[in-house]
Amino acid sequence: MKKRSLKELNRISIEAFKAAEKTPLIIVLDDIRSALNVGSAFRTADAFAIEKIYLCGITAKPPHREILKTAIGATSSVEWEYVEDVEQLAISLRSAGVQLLAVEQTDQSIPLQSFPVAKDKKYALVFGNEIKGVSDSVLPLVHGALEVPQFGTKHSLNVSVCLGVVCWALLEKMRL
């Protein structure tokens, strides 16, 4: 076994990526405090060909040094937009027919592995603040909530880790 070189990985160009078919997933970052987590979200969105990222509230925006550090160029490939008011974004996405899902521990959360993905729908995943979670004002606007089952002593994952787990699980159901 040997690791493949960058040339052997045969990565597509940014232009080809932008023109390529995207996974019908949108990431909404609701008041994310850490720019490093935001950069990681961009990198994950690039890896899984996610359609778009919305940065809301206090979430840092490119070009921010810490975002660029962890995104390693994904801010150039992934479509993104800053929208200050996450509630207005939620209303807009709903009216466009997007299925909104909070990634949050609620009394009605569906375990991630049990969520039935409809291949004809587009989903927006709302990831919340590292301390407070998804804004309380957004919860009445979502169609449901997803929760990543956990078995340890902690009650949460780092938001960038959670984002990767959830995006992969949905991508697997949608595309693979």
Side-chain angles (χ1 to χ4, degrees):
M1 177 184 321
K2 77 173 189 80
K3 292 189 282 185
R4 290 189 279 171
S5 69
L6 288 177
K7 185 176 180 180
E8 290 171 319
L9 291 174
N10 198 26
R11 298 292 185 201
I12 62 175
S13 68
I14 290 174
E15 294 76 26
F17 178 86
K18 287 183 176 189
E21 180 182 352
K22 300 295 184 284
T23 304
L25 281 177
I26 295 168
I27 294 171
V28 177
L29 300 181
D30 174 18
D31 281 340
I32 302 298
R33 294 178 315 139
S34 167
L36 295 171
N37 284 333
V38 175
S40 181
F42 271 95
R43 196 162 166 187
T44 299
D46 178 274
F48 298 149
I50 302 296
E51 188 173 302
K52 187 170 186 174
I53 295 179
Y54 284 98
L55 309 171
C56 301
I58 66 165
T59 305
K61 305 173 285 297
H64 184 288
R65 185 176 61 90
E66 290 182 336
I67 292 174
L68 299 177
K69 178 179 181 178
T70 50
I72 60 168
T75 57
S76 298
S77 58
V78 175
E79 184 179 343
W80 66 274
E81 182 178 341
Y82 176 75
V83 177
E84 184 174 357
D85 188 332
V86 69
E87 293 90 4
Q88 288 302 314
L89 174 62
I91 291 166
S92 175
L93 289 170
R94 277 186 72 109
S95 68
V98 176
Q99 296 293 298
L100 280 169
L101 299 170
V103 180
E104 186 61 84
Q105 298 165 329
T106 74
D107 60 349
Q108 296 177 30
S109 296
I110 298 168
L112 179 60
Q113 73 277 11
S114 300
F115 181 71
V117 170
K119 294 189 179 201
D120 62 335
K121 291 189 178 175
K122 184 182 297 188
Y123 295 93
L125 304 171
V126 183
F127 294 89
N129 178 275
E130 294 91 336
I131 303 294
K132 298 177 184 176
V134 173
S135 297
D136 289 338
S137 60
V138 173
L139 291 178
L141 302 173
V142 300
H143 294 96
L146 299 178
E147 184 172 340
V148 177
Q150 298 169 53
F151 308 100
T153 61
K154 302 300 174 196
H155 299 286
S156 66
L157 294 168
N158 173 280
V159 68
S160 67
V161 172
C162 183
L163 189 143
V165 168
V166 173
C167 287
W168 169 254
L170 295 185
L171 169 97
E172 187 176 34
K173 292 179 181 188
M174 291 174 164
R175 292 184 83 173
L176 303 179

